[in-house]
Amino acid sequence: MKIVEGDLMENEKSKTLMDRIWDFFTSVRLAIVVFAVLSLTSIVGTIIEQGAEPERNIKLLSKFFGDASPTVFRILDSLGFTNMFHSWWFIALLFVFAANLIICSLDRLPRIWNIVKEPIKPLSIDLLNTMPIKREVVLKGKIDNAKGVMESALKRIGFKANIHLQDNGLQIYAEKGRHSRLGVYVTHFSIILILIGAVAGIFFGFNASLNLLEGTTSAVAYMRNGKEIPLGFEIGCNDFETSFYENSDTPRSYKSWLTILENGRPIKINGKEVTEIDVNRPLRYKGITFYQSSYGFSPTKDSLFKFSVASNDGKKQDVQIKFGESFNIPGTNIIGKVADFSPALGIDEAGRLFTYAEMMNNPAVFVEFTENGKSKYNQWILKRYTQTWRVPDGIIEFKDLWGAQYTGLQVRKDPGVWIVYLGSLVMAVGLYAAFFMSHGRIWINLRDDKNGTKITIAASVNKNKAAFEQKINKLVKTITVQ
Amino acid sequence: MDSSQFFGISSIAYILAMVAYIAYLVFRNSTVGIIATTITSVGFISQTIAFFIRGKEFYDIGQMGIMRAIPLTNLYESLIFFVWCLILGYLIIEWKYKNRSFGAFITPIAGMALAFIDISGMDKNIHPLIPALQSNWLLAHVTLSFIAYATFAISFATAIMYLAVTTDNKKSGAYIFWTVTLGIFISILVAMGIDFLTFKIAVRTPEAFIKSYLFKATFRSASGLIVLFSYAASAVFVYLVWRYGYALKKLIGSFSISPDLLDDLTYKNIAIGFPIFTLGGLIFGAIWADQAWGKYWSWDPKETWSLITWFVYAFYLHARFLRGWRGHKIAIVAVIGFVCTIFTYLGVNLLLSGLHAYGGG
């Protein structure tokens, strides 16, 4: 498998341009240089913050370069280091890497292919003597008996025996894992597949985002640079909700309920008009995928407070009102008016109430209750705490403030992603074959001997010789025990 | 007893085991060797129990089923898991090769990781899973990554041992390389120990620790004199490791460890770790990112450093098979590979994000 560099130097003059290009790309030296340059530039790319405001990186550089940092930044910026992974030269490097990989593989493949396509053949005794693993044993009984024993012993270590009759007895030969020799090439091929998938994604797909307020729809998404991308259909957000672990502000889930509309009509997806999405469960429609990626709070005067109001004698009613509007507890003269709201009501050490976050972490409404125009009592009602729902004349369940939150969706179309996934699968197979399988070959000569049958075992393996030798020892043990 | 007590037992056991293995290496008394193995095994069993208890605690808090109760969700838990894999790998090697002397090189890595947990005072509380982490791909990604990291750690230890037994010329590049690497490693650890002793403070997050405390007692002290002294002291220390490092050769050489065995172990661990890292670290990580955010690769520092690590180990394998590299050159590549691995895991989380965090004020 070693390459002799000297060979490349000879006959240099007689080579065509094509040959020289080929040689350039097959040289291991190129691979090393590409590996090194990719790694070193990548390191720089992780230190310089990518796609950030210039001030941030200048500040960072000033730690190393002091007053010269703006100049250093200008140089790095003009060389593309501030958006390095998308710069032309980095992408060109990746292409050189791919070309190197393809051509190196093609250069070596024929030799390996010749081995892989040829099944094992019987070998002469001279060749058997050159094998790295050899064992000799004498078995009692006739050759036919020994043959049966040998075959079943081979089967036990996973080898299927072939028989070749020869002058003074017979040869059993068997092999396993011949195709595992291709593992390296399968792995290389998978890297190419993944790169193809990535390129397909860049050329035929897009990455955009969309913020949708509850109760609104959109027919476009927006690129990072603000460009509109038409979706070809409409998407609407019915609701968004963050749920939290009990008594904490650690989010448990972010959920959006989405509807796809074509020509203004809702479309059923998996039998449902409304699809619930979650951070690890996106919605796919017509090649476009919507991921839950962020959310926000921007209430309007049209946002609706949703309550389920029950009186003490069990009469129940759902109400939806705007800020400042009132509702009635069914069966009574009590009127409740939404007088204040906090998206995240907290209480400080002195017992004062305050709003501790700008998101709906702990939504609370302040309701003023009156009876026949006379003030009766006031109460903060918290969505997350059922004990606050209880008022003297009934139970006011604060269900939601609707139309106040927006869901932040990542909108992506990537026709290449399946190629990337396929490449990953191929890579798993290739790596398994390359690292955990080996091509083992065994030849066994059986000859009549005065004490029974003389057995000569010869074997070779392309890697992990120690483990294969153990297997052969096991084989010898099984036949001698019988 | 809760999980932290069992973790505590295992931490103490590994640190005692480190001392015992080093004592074994020095005195070559087989009783000491058996004691070392026993202590390690006790630590391992205790850690396994702790892992299950923490899983149970997690299960009770999260209420999301078994698959969401595997405690591998933050820096603390993943480092603990890394140590567990490392010790498991080591015990397998000790049993298979009937040789205890590797223990003196592998238990210090476990000890270092555990000491790092305590020094940095990282958050040990159980936190229920935030939405992005509720994914089976992530679970597979983290588990496999750490198994791979553990194999890389073992290959690092055997590669350093290989360099130690095969070099004694103080002027040779390989000798300088391994003594300086080891010297810097230990210096950094000592500097972190001094931080701990000086500030005696447990901070909530690793980021806050890096920002306010890391090396503040030494290399980043407010006093220029201390900074100067710290650098001078570590330079002297590295010099001493360089000056007397050959003593290790005699020590290891007096055991029946051949350089070939060390080279073979380095290779075998990388050959197991590399495919696991590729599949678990890179591919599963990419699938998770794709499912959660719709981007399977976004060149963020973590991904980029994983790729750099992958390049280094891919280089190791190709150099070995295609160019027939053996000996010092290939062992140096293995050492560099593990340095990149540490950086991928800790450096990116701590240094780069820290760098950017205080870069932005």
Side-chain angles (χ1 to χ4, degrees), chain B residues 20-182:
Chain B
Y21 277 117
I22 291 170
Y24 171 71
L25 206 59
V26 176
F27 301 118
R28 276 184 282 161
N29 177 324
S30 63
T31 318
V32 177
I34 292 166
I35 291 171
T37 307
T38 312
I39 299 174
T40 313
S41 308
V42 168
F44 181 73
I45 292 165
S46 168
Q47 199 182 1
T48 312
I49 295 170
F51 203 70
F52 279 105
I53 296 177
R54 194 168 170 101
K56 175 77 175 63
E57 290 164 357
F58 215 135
Y59 181 83
D60 292 340
I61 289 178
Q63 296 291 348
M64 283 183 171
I66 300 265
M67 289 307 281
R68 297 279 174 280
I70 294 168
L72 273 177
T73 55
N74 56 31
L75 197 61
Y76 168 68
E77 288 165 348
S78 53
L79 269 175
I80 292 276
F81 182 66
F82 163 75
V83 171
W84 187 84
C85 293
L86 186 68
I87 296 293
L88 176 65
Y90 167 68
L91 287 173
I92 291 172
I93 289 176
E94 184 183 302
W95 171 70
K96 251 195 130 161
Y97 292 84
K98 308 278 178 267
N99 197 323
R100 286 204 170 87
S101 25
F102 303 110
F105 293 84
I106 289 170
T107 46
I109 300 179
M112 249 172 67
L114 294 174
F116 179 78
I117 290 170
D118 277 329
I119 290 166
S120 66
M122 64 180 66
D123 191 354
K124 296 179 186 173
N125 294 325
I126 291 178
H127 292 283
L129 289 178
I130 59 164
L133 300 183
Q134 297 164 14
S135 158
N136 289 345
W137 289 110
L138 178 69
L139 190 70
H141 163 65
V142 175
T143 318
L144 291 178
S145 295
F146 277 90
I147 293 171
Y149 289 172
T151 63
F152 292 159
I154 295 174
S155 74
F156 167 76
T158 51
I160 287 273
M161 282 169 82
Y162 177 88
L163 290 171
V165 281
T166 54
T167 54
D168 49 10
N169 178 2
K170 287 208 271 297
K171 297 230 165 56
S172 81
Y175 181 86
I176 294 170
F177 175 81
W178 82 260
T179 49
V180 169
T181 309
L182 200 65

Side-chain angles (χ1 to χ4, degrees), chain A residues 385-401:
Chain A
Y385 296 92
T386 49
Q387 63 269 31
T388 65
W389 300 350
R390 179 89 229 169
V391 297
D393 293 285
I395 295 170
I396 319 293
E397 181 189 349
F398 177 26
K399 282 162 66 176
D400 198 8
L401 170 61

Side-chain angles (χ1 to χ4, degrees), chain A residues 161-303:
Chain A
N162 302 289
I163 311 291
H164 170 69
L165 294 172
Q166 35 188 39
D167 308 341
N168 47 359
L170 54 87
Q171 186 175 66
I172 300 176
Y173 57 100
E175 68 178 335
K176 200 171 98 174
R178 177 154 44 100
H179 292 94
S180 73
R181 284 182 186 263
L182 289 172
V184 172
Y185 303 94
V186 173
T187 309
H188 286 176
F189 173 68
S190 73
I191 295 172
I192 303 297
L193 263 184
I194 290 171
L195 290 175
I196 291 172
V199 170
I202 291 166
F203 281 103
F204 305 110
F206 63 79
N207 237 315
S209 63
L210 175 64
N211 289 341
L212 271 181
L213 193 68
E214 291 166 321
T216 63
T217 62
S218 172
V220 293
Y222 302 90
M223 298 276 277
R224 261 243 301 252
N225 56 16
K227 206 180 119 197
E228 279 186 11
I229 301 261
L231 298 172
F233 51 85
E234 272 184 283
I235 182 157
C237 173
N238 300 52
D239 200 0
F240 172 82
E241 198 172 283
T242 312
S243 69
F244 296 88
Y245 287 97
E246 215 168 300
N247 299 322
S248 87
D249 267 7
T250 306
R252 185 189 177 99
S253 68
Y254 302 114
K255 283 184 177 149
S256 297
W257 286 265
L258 305 175
T259 303
I260 301 284
L261 302 138
E262 294 242 32
N263 306 319
R265 288 234 178 88
I267 301 291
K268 281 189 179 171
I269 293 169
N270 296 327
K272 278 180 285 185
E273 282 182 5
V274 179
T275 305
E276 179 188 301
I277 68 161
D278 203 341
V279 175
N280 279 293
R281 285 186 300 134
L283 162 68
R284 292 195 174 82
Y285 184 70
K286 288 200 168 165
I288 299 178
T289 316
F290 298 89
Y291 298 85
Q292 181 69 58
S293 78
S294 68
Y295 66 103
F297 178 61
S298 74
T300 66
K301 62 180 175 20
D302 292 324
S303 302

Side-chain angles (χ1 to χ4, degrees), chain A residues 28 32 35 42 46-47 59-60 63 85 90 198 245 251-252 254 279-280 291 410 412 414 420-421 424 427-428 435, chain B residues 62 64 128-129 131-132 134 271 278-279 290-294 296 299 304-305 311 315 317 323 355-356 358-359:
Chain A
V28 176
I32 293 170
F35 265 31
S42 294
T46 60
I47 295 171
K59 212 166 171 183
L60 180 74
K63 288 189 205 309
F85 297 108
F90 192 79
Y245 287 97
R252 185 189 177 99
Y254 302 114
V279 175
N280 279 293
Y291 298 85
Q410 179 79 26
R412 188 192 66 169
D414 188 348
V420 173
Y421 275 89
S424 303
M427 186 183 271
F435 285 95
Chain B
M64 283 183 171
L129 289 178
Q134 297 164 14
T278 312
L279 192 70
D290 184 44
Q291 302 282 319
W293 294 299
Y296 52 83
W299 292 108
T304 310
W305 270 97
F311 274 149
F315 176 76
L317 293 165
R323 313 275 342 224
L355 202 62
H356 292 150
Y358 54 77

Side-chain angles (χ1 to χ4, degrees), chain B residues 15 29 50 82 120 203 238 267 287 299 329 353:
Chain B
I15 287 162
N29 177 324
F82 163 75
S120 66
V203 267
V238 170
Y267 163 69
I287 294 176
W299 292 108
K329 282 199 285 188
S353 67

Side-chain angles (χ1 to χ4, degrees), chain A residues 45 88 118 121 142-143 163 201 206 285 370 414 418 443 458 478:
Chain A
W88 66 268
E118 282 291 310
K121 284 195 184 110
K142 288 271 170 217
I143 208 167
I163 311 291
F206 63 79
Y285 184 70
T370 54
D414 188 348
W418 296 109
W443 293 268
T478 1

